[in-house]
Amino acid sequence: AEVVLKVIASGLYRDRHAYLRSYWNVLDLTVVLTGWAPYIFPGAQSVSALRVLRALRPLRSINRLPSLRALIDAMVRALPQLVNVSLLLAFVCIASAIAGMQLFKG
């Protein structure tokens, strides 16, 4: 019901503030649709694999808490820098492993 009300209030896609223009709303719609999938397709066995996406259900509360939404956005924006740090860490670990193998003749 919440999704339907939001679509009626803000439009589906055309308007600048439309429902599907926000990635958080797309995630919300995905969670809602996967929750309803067993009721829409009761005999389908592949629907049970979609139950894994129910783990995303707590993420629906992000839209209601602006401070939490800002925190998650900041974490997502920090991911590219974390990739660089992880590559550097992997290089150091591999170099240390090679040095250890040479020093201890393992």
Side-chain angles (χ1 to χ4, degrees):
E2 178 185 351
V3 173
V4 174
L5 289 175
K6 282 185 177 182
V7 168
I8 290 171
S10 60
L12 187 64
Y13 189 74
R14 282 188 161 194
D15 191 26
R16 191 176 77 151
H17 299 289
Y19 186 74
L20 292 179
R21 295 270 180 171
S22 169
Y23 293 115
W24 293 108
N25 288 337
V26 171
L27 175 66
D28 186 35
L29 181 67
T30 304
V31 170
V32 169
L33 289 179
T34 56
W36 279 96
Y39 302 111
I40 297 171
F41 308 109
Q45 293 182 3
S46 63
V47 174
S48 62
L50 293 176
R51 290 184 184 164
V52 173
L53 294 176
R54 285 187 182 176
L56 298 175
R57 188 172 286 170
L59 293 177
R60 291 183 67 199
S61 65
I62 291 175
N63 283 334
R64 294 182 183 95
L65 301 170
S67 59
L68 182 62
R69 185 175 181 175
L71 180 68
I72 298 295
D73 283 338
M75 288 173 58
V76 168
R77 277 185 269 139
L79 284 178
Q81 288 85 10
L82 289 176
V83 169
N84 293 335
V85 171
S86 349
L87 289 174
L88 180 63
L89 179 65
F91 174 74
V92 169
C93 287
I94 290 172
S96 299
I98 292 172
M101 294 294 284
Q102 291 296 320
L103 287 173
F104 300 116
K105 306 289 187 217

